[in-house]
Amino acid sequence: KSLREQAFAAPLKLAELVDKVNRDLQNVLPPIAEKMKLYLLNPSTRAILFKPIKSNIAEAHGQIAQLIETEYTPDDAAAIQLLGAAELSSKLDGLC
């Protein structure tokens, strides 16, 4: 069976997961970044500490994007609604 035919990776299941990640990027990560500002007053310190987090998120996003491109149909990809790399980068850059 192909990946998209597996229960854990069905297009609908992946769309739900991507939607949750998108909501968390919008609703969970910004308050965390704000809390960092309370304890770390220097913006360059925050940027240094937040860089690996941003890097890990971007890397995972790229891996999922590649899987979607290779394993799913264009219709599936459209339904999954993964953020574009530039949009993701903009969201992450706006946090620090």
Side-chain angles (χ1 to χ4, degrees), residues 24-45:
D24 286 352
L25 284 172
Q26 187 72 31
N27 300 321
V28 175
L29 205 51
I32 292 170
E34 287 300 316
K35 285 181 183 177
M36 283 178 65
K37 291 178 183 178
L38 293 174
Y39 297 99
L40 302 170
L41 302 178
N42 187 329
S44 61
T45 302

Side-chain angles (χ1 to χ4, degrees), residues 64-77:
I64 293 295
Q66 185 176 10
L67 275 175
I68 290 170
E69 184 179 319
T70 59
E71 299 288 334
Y72 294 84
T73 67
D75 290 340
D76 291 340

Side-chain angles (χ1 to χ4, degrees), residues 9-61:
L12 183 59
K13 191 76 162 172
L14 188 56
E16 290 172 3
L17 180 62
V18 167
D19 182 57
K20 181 177 179 355
V21 169
N22 289 341
R23 281 185 280 125
D24 286 352
L25 284 172
Q26 187 72 31
N27 300 321
V28 175
L29 205 51
I32 292 170
E34 287 300 316
K35 285 181 183 177
M36 283 178 65
K37 291 178 183 178
L38 293 174
Y39 297 99
L40 302 170
L41 302 178
N42 187 329
S44 61
T45 302
R46 286 193 307 269
I48 290 168
L49 292 174
F50 203 65
K51 185 177 180 177
I53 296 167
K54 288 172 28 177
S55 176
N56 287 344
I57 291 170
E59 182 180 346
H61 180 274

